[in-house]
């Protein structure tokens, strides 16, 4: 335990001020920030965002174990990757706030001495104050020079030895002490006791409590620090109104307002544009007002939901016929503005209860203190409904409030809706039928209700509901062409309903088109096969899914060749006849640089580049003064076959040219050259009827470098073969041919590697989908001064980690074929950054390029978390003080890294530090921009 990183989330007790969140727990209430990144996945919860922030904070623990304590109803908004935690100590995260806010929360009194940074300060804690008055803030010296106080955010950590002592305390006989402290301190929290043990000024206060001396002895030798973040805000989810405020306020731009939901066309219902509909089915005839939240619900019939209202877990079917028998004044169910409505199952199959209250009701406030129900004072409610206190409470004491009022009847759904409208005041009861039903019924209070929830049934209903939603969305997608939806994610949601998943998947498979003609020009065949494969796997038919998977990759190869318009063409009779007479041996040598990519990779890769624009900023470089990649090809009269050799001393002689066919074995060391022979068409050339071929290749770079070596080597071979048969050897033609070569090889890959090696210098290349695919190479007209500064500040470092792009590429391509929204948005941003990077270099702003490289690296890790590893993370952490940006080249996973130093001195210091490091077995290469072809 002492070596682990523990997240402790304080979930609190009964959520009286957000009562509809009690069944799920406030930490798990829906919070659809950034939900648009994955519209077909589960609705993001508050817990998901808390977990993301705490995960980012792990870096602050470094090599020490520790605990990180957060609060389950608060979302802290700050860059936790910049969090600094002192060694072997406790630390509380604080933020400067105004005195009126401080008066309602905990306040930290920090020492005047400490570490000050541009974004934070780190000081010892002198004292803690709970909900202090202004006088107490002054007397406690808690007011800073700027007139503000340090707010206790509820985020506390203990690291190293401070955490070890806390673990020892938990595992020792002091467990009895902890139990006694909890029992004797009902009005306070153990959290406060622990914090007090780390703050010497609180020791006298702690000594007055049971066993406080033991707590001081166990933890008191460590001190507590305050980490004050100057760029910190937090969202509190303490009331229902705050929940809606955070969906409609300054963060509303982050909110996904329609997520995993079925909503009819606008002519069949009335749903406000600002309403948030999450994991819900809305049928025709339903209306939802502005800024309302509907979650995990099914609404049908003539249901009206007012503005600024909350509906959770409610299932209202078509009830018009039954409702009209009960409700004499209206055939609608109406939830008034600013109300909450939720439904929960009771244990022991006692039925379901529909619960409601006003948005601003505080169930804790008693009648005598002007407590409210549905926004109206209790006295007015009782008078209007002609209800006595004794109908709701056993006695007339000070504690009578909404929390313990036996208000909510257990009865049939139509009856509950009818009585609910009467209680909320949205309908009259002239004949007294609703009141009579209510008085005769079994009724429960919020307090009793939340001790009687059938959580198993609640979860089963929610899972079935989400599975049905996903199945219906999937059916609609299949019926209308499944454009842009992630069927794989929907299948995962459908699996929540175990019994019917197989039946649904088989139904969806029957809706799949048998060929692409139905959606020709709109839906690629590879996408159709990918959907079939996902459905087959979801239904458990793994053998057929494997067969279809092969068709996925075969389709990508075919689509690439079709878009490139190269490789499938026959050699013209003119070219064949013109070469008939030239039978003399001929030799050609092609040498090329490698490439490093700054940003934009993945946007060049089929099938993305066949369907969407791409843009890459990269650079051709020499290593150690040499062009490291090359091929020598010559015709010979010594044999009539093909002899292939590589720089590892391996060779193969192929006598039967007809045997060179794809697909090739993955471990075939010569499949690159064989694929190039197929794509260039040289195997069918008449010249080879009387001559043989000798082909030798080399790549003087480490294996798995990430420098585009494979594609650039393919470019060298293709260019050499074109020269041999006197075909079009223009760089554009070669680059297109290499795209097809990589598909024939089975490795996939895009156009940026060969473009990077074929075209000199720095360039920004854009691709435009179409028939054929258009490539536009824009050379960067950089000054000699810019080139020299870049060569001096940019370190090209081999990490020693071997990587294989094919494995990473398959994962990313599969995610694209599934229409993974997060992946699509990440690649779009990479292509956009390439254009921004070009402008930065054109303006000589090398520092801005560093920031672009770092953002690109973060995006690459979103696309594939395994593109980094522990060694790479540690290497970049080591280089960070010297650099303004860094990334791995290519697809990541290992290979070479680019490190852009802040200045010339930082570059020299970093190089020396890496070369002298005993921790990192890396090599810093000498390099220069390859400015000539």
């Amino acid at each position: 335990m002492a070596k682990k990183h523990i997240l402790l989330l304080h979930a609190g007790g009964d959520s009286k001020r957000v009562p509809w969140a009690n069944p799920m727990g406030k930490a798990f209430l829906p919070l659809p920030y950034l939900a648009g990144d994955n519209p077909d996945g589960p609705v993001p919860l508050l817990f998901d965002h808390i977990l993301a922030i705490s995960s980012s904070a792990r870096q602050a623990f470094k090599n020490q174990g520790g605990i990180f304590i957060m609060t389950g109803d608060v979302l802290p908004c700050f860059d936790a990757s910049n969090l600094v935690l002192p060694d072997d100590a406790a630390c509380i995260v604080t933020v400067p706030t105004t005195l009126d806010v401080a008066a309602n929360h905990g306040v930290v009194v920090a020492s005047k001495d400490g570490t000050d940074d541009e974004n934070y300060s780190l000081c010892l804690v002198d004292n803690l104050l709970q909900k202090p008055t202004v006088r107490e803030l002054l007397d406690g010296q808690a007011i800073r020079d700027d007139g503000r106080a340090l707010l206790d955010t509820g985020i506390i950590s203990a690291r190293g030895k401070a955490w070890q002592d806390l673990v020892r305390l938990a595992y020792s006989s002091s467990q009895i002490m902890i139990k006694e402290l909890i029992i004797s301190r009902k009005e306070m929290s153990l959290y406060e006791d622990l914090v007090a043990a780390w703050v010497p000024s609180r020791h006298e206060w702690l000594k007055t409590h049971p066993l406080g001396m033991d707590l001081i002895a166990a933890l008191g030798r460590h001190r507590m620090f305050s980490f004050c973040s100057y760029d910190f805000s937090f969202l509190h989810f303490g009331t229902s109104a705050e929940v809606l405020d955070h969906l409609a306020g300054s963060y509303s731009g982050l909110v996904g307002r329609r997520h995993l939901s079925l909503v009819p066309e606008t002519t069949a219902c009335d749903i406000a544009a600002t309403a948030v509909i999450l994991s819900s089915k809305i049928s025709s005839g339903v209306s939802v007002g502005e800024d309302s939240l509907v979650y995990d619900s099914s609404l049908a019939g003539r249901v009206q939901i007012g503005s600024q209202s909350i509906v959770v877990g409610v299932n209202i079917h078509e009830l018009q016929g039954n409702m009209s028998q009960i409700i004499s004044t209206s055939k609608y169910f109406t939830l008034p503005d600013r109300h909450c409505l939720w439904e929960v199952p009771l244990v022991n199959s006692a039925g379901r209860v529909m619960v409601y209250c006003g948005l601003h009701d505080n169930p804790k406030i008693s009648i005598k203190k002007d407590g409210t129900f549905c926004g109206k004072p209790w006295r007015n409610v009782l008078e209007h409904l002609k209800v006595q206190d004794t109908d709701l409470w056993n006695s007339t004491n000070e504690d009578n409030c909404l929390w313990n009022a036996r208000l909510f009847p257990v009865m049939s759904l139509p009856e509950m809706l009818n009585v609910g409208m009467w209680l909320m005041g949205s309908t009259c009861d002239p004949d007294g039928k609703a009141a009579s039903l209510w008085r005769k019924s079994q009724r429960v209070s919020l307090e009793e209700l939340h001790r009687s929830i059938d959580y198993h049934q609640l979860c089963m209903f929610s899972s079935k509901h989400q599975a049905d939603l996903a199945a219906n969305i999937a059916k609609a997608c299949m019926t209308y062409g499944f454009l842009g939806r992630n069927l794989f994610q929907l299948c995962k949601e459908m699996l929540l309903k175990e019994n019917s998943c197989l039946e649904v998947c088989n139904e969806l498979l029957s809706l799949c088109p048998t060929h692409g003609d139905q959606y020709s020009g709109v839906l690629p065949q590879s996408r159709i096969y990918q959907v079939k494969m996902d459905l087959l796997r979801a239904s458990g038919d793994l053998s057929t899914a494997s067969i279809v998977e092969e068709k996925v990759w075969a389709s990508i190869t075919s689509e690439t060749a079709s878009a490139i318009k190269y490789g499938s063409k026959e050699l013209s009779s003119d070219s064949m006849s013109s070469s008939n007479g030239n039978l003399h041996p001929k030799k050609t040598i092609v040498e090329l640089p490698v490439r490093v990519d700054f940003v934009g990779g993945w946007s060049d890769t089929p099938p993305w580049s066949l369907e969407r624009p791409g843009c890459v900023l990269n650079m051709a470089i020499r290593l150690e003064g040499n062009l490291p990649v090359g091929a020598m090809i010559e015709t010979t009269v010594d044999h009539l076959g093909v002899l292939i050799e590589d720089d590892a001393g391996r060779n193969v002689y192929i006598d039967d040219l007809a045997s060179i066919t794809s697909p090739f074995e993955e471990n075939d060391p010569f499949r690159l050259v064989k694929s190039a022979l197929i794509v260039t068409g040289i195997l069918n050339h008449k010249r080879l009827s009387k001559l043989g071929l000798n082909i030798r290749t080399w790549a003087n770079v480490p294996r798995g470098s990430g420098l585009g070596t494979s594609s650039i080597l393919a470019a060298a071979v293709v260019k050499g073969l074109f020269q041999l048969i006197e075909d079009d050897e223009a760089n554009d033609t070669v680059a297109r041919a290499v795209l097809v070569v990589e598909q024939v090889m089975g490795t996939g890959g895009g156009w940026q590697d060969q473009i990077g090696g074929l075209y000199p210098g720095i360039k920004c290349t854009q691709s435009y989908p179409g028939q054929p695919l258009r490539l536009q190479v824009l050379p960067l007209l950089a000054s000699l001064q810019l080139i020299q500064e870049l060569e001096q500040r940019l370190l090209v470092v081999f990490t020693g980690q071997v990587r294989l792009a094919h494995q990473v590429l398959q994962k990313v391509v599969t995610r694209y074929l599934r229409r993974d929204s997060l992946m699509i948005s990440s690649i779009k941003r990479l292509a956009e950054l390439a254009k921004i990077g070009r402008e930065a270099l054109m303006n000589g702003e090398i520092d801005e390029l560093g920031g672009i490289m770092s953002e690109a690296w973060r995006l690459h890790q979103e696309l594939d978390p395994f593109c980094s590893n522990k060694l790479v993370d540690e290497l970049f952490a080591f280089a960070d003080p010297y650099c303004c940006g860094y990334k791995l080249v290519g697809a990541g996973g290992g290979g070479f890294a680019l490190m852009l130093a802040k200045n010339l001195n930082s570059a020299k210091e970093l190089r020396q530090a890496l070369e002298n490091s005993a921790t990192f077995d890396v090599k810093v290469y000498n390099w220069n921009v390859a400015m000539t072809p």
Side-chain angles (χ1 to χ4, degrees):
M1 284 288 289
K3 296 180 180 179
K4 294 185 180 296
H5 299 139
I6 307 298
L7 171 64
L8 178 62
L9 192 61
H10 186 339
D14 285 332
S15 176
K16 295 180 180 178
R17 293 194 297 166
V18 194
W20 54 268
N22 249 330
M24 67 186 81
K26 270 199 297 188
F28 301 98
L29 59 79
L31 187 60
Y33 290 159
L34 307 176
D37 289 342
N38 187 18
D40 296 314
V43 175
L45 308 177
L46 173 58
F47 175 79
D48 297 321
H49 296 286
I50 291 174
L51 186 61
I53 289 169
S54 64
S55 298
S56 185
R58 282 187 62 192
Q59 56 78 31
F61 289 89
K62 297 182 180 176
N63 59 346
Q64 291 186 330
I67 189 169
F68 199 66
I69 304 171
M70 300 179 72
T71 306
D73 62 353
V74 172
L75 178 62
C77 303
F78 75 113
D79 187 356
S81 65
N82 292 328
L83 180 66
V84 176
L85 299 178
D87 292 341
D88 302 314
C91 187
I92 185 168
V93 176
T94 62
V95 60
T97 190
T98 56
L99 301 188
D100 59 328
V101 175
N104 294 312
H105 297 275
V107 171
V108 172
V109 183
S111 168
K112 302 299 181 184
D113 301 324
T115 302
D116 261 322
D117 187 80
E118 180 181 352
N119 299 314
Y120 69 88
S121 65
L122 190 65
C123 308
L124 283 169
V125 173
D126 284 342
N127 205 350
L128 296 166
L129 306 175
Q130 287 297 326
K131 296 185 178 180
T133 64
V134 175
R135 171 50 55 190
E136 288 171 334
L137 288 170
L138 285 168
D139 293 345
Q141 299 182 333
I143 301 178
R144 294 157 43 96
D145 293 339
D146 60 4
R148 297 183 293 175
L150 294 182
L151 181 72
D152 173 4
T153 64
I155 301 176
I156 290 186
S157 70
R159 181 176 169 226
K161 292 179 181 177
W163 165 234
Q164 291 172 18
D165 283 349
L166 194 58
V167 173
R168 289 192 189 98
L169 179 66
Y171 276 85
S172 71
S173 58
S174 297
Q175 289 181 6
I176 300 172
M177 177 194 76
I178 297 294
K179 183 177 180 181
E180 291 189 18
L181 278 169
I182 293 172
I183 292 172
S184 65
R185 300 286 311 289
K186 289 182 179 178
E187 77 286 357
M188 303 299 284
S189 66
L190 180 60
Y191 158 92
E192 190 173 353
D193 291 324
L194 293 175
V195 171
W198 285 317
V199 181
S201 64
R202 302 290 284 173
H203 286 180
E204 288 300 319
W205 169 81
L206 191 58
K207 289 175 185 177
T208 63
H209 296 278
L211 302 174
M213 288 297 298
D214 292 337
L215 198 58
I216 293 171
L219 305 177
R221 65 193 183 95
H222 302 292
R223 289 297 307 272
M224 170 167 273
F225 287 80
S226 163
F227 175 85
C228 177
S229 173
Y230 300 143
D231 185 17
F232 184 108
S233 63
F234 65 92
L235 306 180
H236 185 219
F237 295 83
T239 67
S240 299
E242 283 183 328
V243 174
L244 289 187
D245 286 345
H246 297 326
L247 295 179
S250 57
Y251 291 90
S252 61
L254 300 176
V255 175
R257 299 191 177 277
R258 305 288 185 272
H259 191 91
L260 198 66
S261 295
L262 286 171
V263 180
E265 62 271 18
T266 55
T267 56
C269 65
D270 181 15
I271 300 178
T274 56
V276 180
I277 313 295
L278 308 173
S279 189
S280 295
K281 179 180 179 181
I282 308 295
S283 299
S284 300
V286 174
S287 65
V288 182
E290 294 181 354
D291 299 328
S292 289
L293 167 65
V294 179
Y295 173 57
D296 207 24
S297 299
S298 293
L299 303 179
R302 306 193 72 178
V303 176
Q304 295 177 322
I305 306 299
S307 298
Q308 298 180 56
S309 294
I310 296 174
V311 177
V312 174
V314 173
N315 188 11
I316 300 179
H317 304 288
E318 287 280 358
L319 294 171
Q320 289 180 343
N322 292 332
M323 289 285 285
S324 63
Q325 297 172 15
I326 299 166
I327 303 172
S328 57
T329 57
S330 175
K331 294 183 180 180
Y332 294 87
F333 170 74
T334 301
L335 182 70
D337 292 348
R338 298 176 298 281
H339 275 66
C340 303
L341 176 72
W342 66 106
E343 184 181 356
V344 291
L346 300 179
V347 293
N348 301 323
S349 302
R352 299 178 69 86
V353 177
M354 197 76 73
V355 196
Y356 27 82
C357 66
L359 182 71
H360 299 286
D361 290 344
N362 186 340
K364 298 188 293 185
I365 299 179
S366 67
I367 292 182
K368 295 184 178 180
K369 293 183 179 180
D370 297 325
T372 61
F373 172 60
C374 292
K376 297 180 283 288
W378 266 112
R379 288 301 174 195
N380 295 357
V381 172
L382 297 177
E383 181 181 347
H384 175 74
L385 297 177
K386 297 181 175 57
V387 170
Q388 303 300 317
D389 290 17
T390 53
D391 291 327
L392 298 172
W393 298 283
N394 293 328
S395 61
T396 56
N397 59 38
E398 297 289 333
D399 296 328
N400 289 345
C401 58
L402 175 56
W403 184 250
N404 53 32
R406 294 190 311 277
L407 190 63
F408 306 103
V410 182
M411 51 180 62
S412 69
L413 178 60
E415 291 172 333
M416 281 194 294
L417 295 175
N418 175 42
V419 171
M421 286 199 294
W422 168 66
L423 288 172
M424 289 184 286
S426 59
T427 187
C428 298
D429 185 32
D431 53 9
K433 287 184 178 180
S436 176
L437 277 171
W438 179 78
R439 284 190 172 87
K440 293 177 182 178
S441 67
Q442 172 196 349
R443 301 192 305 277
V444 294
S445 66
L446 287 174
E447 184 178 26
E448 294 168 333
L449 176 70
H450 294 301
R451 289 199 301 263
S452 308
I453 296 172
D454 187 333
Y455 288 101
H456 176 72
Q457 187 181 346
L458 186 76
C459 293
M460 290 293 290
F461 170 81
S462 182
S463 296
K464 178 181 179 298
H465 172 71
Q466 290 193 44
D468 289 342
L469 277 173
N472 286 324
I473 293 171
K475 289 175 187 177
C477 293
M478 300 292 285
T479 302
Y480 300 112
F482 46 77
L483 301 175
R485 301 304 293 263
N486 189 341
L487 269 292
F488 174 74
Q489 182 66 61
L490 291 172
C491 285
K492 289 172 67 176
E493 297 296 318
M494 288 188 292
L495 286 172
L496 295 172
K497 186 179 178 182
E498 297 178 1
N499 295 336
S500 63
C501 180
L502 179 60
E503 179 184 341
V504 173
C505 287
N506 288 333
E507 182 181 352
L508 293 174
L509 281 167
S510 69
L511 295 173
C512 276
T514 54
H515 52 78
D517 293 343
Q518 182 178 354
Y519 303 109
S520 179
V522 178
L523 188 65
Q525 190 68 46
S526 56
R527 165 75 170 147
I528 295 175
Y529 282 133
Q530 182 67 52
V531 169
K532 286 184 177 179
M533 185 186 76
D534 290 336
L535 289 172
L536 287 164
R537 284 185 172 168
S539 65
D541 189 351
L542 301 183
S543 59
T544 308
S546 297
I547 296 172
V548 175
E549 184 177 15
E550 294 177 3
K551 295 181 179 180
V552 171
W553 299 104
S555 296
I556 294 175
T557 300
S558 175
E559 290 158 10
T560 303
S562 176
I564 299 305
K565 292 293 183 183
Y566 196 93
S568 59
K569 68 176 184 179
E570 296 290 338
L571 287 171
S572 66
S573 57
D574 292 339
S575 64
M576 291 175 68
S577 60
S578 63
S579 58
N580 282 345
N582 189 358
L583 298 178
H584 302 290
K586 186 176 181 180
K587 180 178 180 180
T588 180
I589 298 175
V590 179
E591 292 181 298
L592 295 174
V594 289
R595 69 95 187 96
V596 293
D597 60 304
F598 296 113
V599 62
W602 292 119
S603 71
D604 65 305
T605 306
W608 175 283
S609 58
L610 307 182
E611 302 168 21
R612 302 168 187 260
C615 187
V616 178
L617 180 67
N618 64 17
M619 175 173 67
I621 65 170
R622 297 171 181 263
L623 289 180
E624 305 294 345
N626 300 313
L627 296 174
V629 179
M632 184 280 294
I633 306 173
E634 63 178 349
T635 56
T636 178
V637 295
D638 295 339
H639 59 78
L640 298 180
V642 176
L643 176 63
I644 308 173
E645 299 178 84
D646 63 17
D647 52 356
R650 297 172 297 192
N651 63 79
V652 63
Y653 176 72
I654 305 169
D655 188 22
D656 181 12
L657 301 187
S659 67
I660 304 177
T661 58
S662 63
F664 301 107
E665 295 292 331
E666 190 171 334
N667 59 358
D668 184 348
F670 304 107
R671 60 177 174 161
L672 183 150
V673 175
K674 293 176 181 178
S675 299
L677 290 169
I678 293 173
V679 171
T680 56
I682 195 171
L683 295 177
N684 299 322
H685 204 282
K686 287 188 176 180
R687 177 171 293 178
L688 289 188
S689 61
K690 297 183 180 180
L691 291 174
L693 283 178
N694 293 331
I695 302 175
R696 184 170 63 86
T697 62
W698 61 90
N700 298 320
V701 293
R703 180 176 176 268
S705 65
L707 297 174
T709 309
S710 174
S711 299
I712 295 171
L713 183 59
V717 174
V718 168
K719 195 175 185 71
L721 291 172
F722 280 165
Q723 290 176 356
L724 208 64
I725 60 176
E726 298 174 356
D727 204 341
D728 181 7
E729 60 168 302
N731 287 337
D732 179 71
T733 304
V734 174
R736 293 170 185 276
V738 172
L739 261 179
V740 184
V741 168
E742 293 195 316
Q743 298 300 329
V744 172
M745 284 174 63
T747 58
W751 46 256
Q752 77 129 325
D753 294 344
Q754 56 266 34
I755 290 289
L758 287 166
Y759 290 84
I762 307 171
K763 55 268 178 189
C764 181
T765 307
Q766 299 184 54
S767 66
Y768 304 93
Q771 298 283 350
L773 174 75
R774 289 193 302 119
L775 295 173
Q776 183 180 21
V777 182
L778 302 173
L780 187 74
L781 303 178
S783 65
L784 182 60
Q785 180 182 357
L786 175 71
I787 296 296
Q788 288 177 342
E789 183 178 353
L790 194 60
E791 289 176 341
Q792 291 171 334
R793 288 177 56 182
L794 184 67
L795 272 64
V796 178
V797 181
F798 183 59
T799 64
Q801 300 276 297
V802 176
R803 35 82 64 202
L804 184 61
H806 175 52
Q807 296 173 351
V808 181
L809 185 140
Q810 276 196 330
K811 296 177 186 177
V812 175
V813 169
T814 298
R815 286 180 64 189
Y816 175 69
L817 289 175
R818 288 172 173 163
R819 298 304 187 256
D820 184 310
S821 296
L822 179 59
M823 178 265 189
I824 289 172
S825 62
S826 295
I827 296 184
K828 283 183 177 178
R829 177 59 179 165
L830 286 168
E832 179 185 359
L833 285 173
K835 298 174 185 178
I836 297 172
R838 177 179 181 271
E839 291 298 318
L841 285 177
M842 291 284 285
N843 295 322
E845 297 171 348
I846 293 181
D847 290 347
E848 184 178 347
L849 178 65
I852 290 169
M853 288 167 55
S854 293
E855 183 177 350
W857 178 233
R858 288 194 294 271
L859 290 168
H860 276 251
Q861 291 175 87
E862 286 182 9
L863 291 170
D864 178 32
F866 298 101
C867 72
S868 188
N869 53 51
K870 183 179 179 182
L871 184 144
V872 172
D873 291 341
E874 291 175 350
L875 177 63
F876 284 160
F878 178 84
D880 187 72
Y882 304 92
C883 293
C884 60
Y886 40 73
K887 68 182 290 287
L888 292 183
V889 298
F896 275 76
L898 297 182
M899 301 178 183
L900 184 58
K902 296 175 180 177
N903 49 53
L904 301 184
N905 287 335
S906 294
K908 293 177 183 177
E909 292 171 2
L910 176 57
R911 179 167 189 147
Q912 185 175 6
L914 289 172
E915 290 175 343
N916 295 337
S917 172
T919 305
F920 302 107
D921 184 19
V922 300
K923 179 179 179 181
V924 183
Y925 275 72
N926 296 313
W927 70 276
N928 59 284
V929 180
M931 297 301 296
T932 54

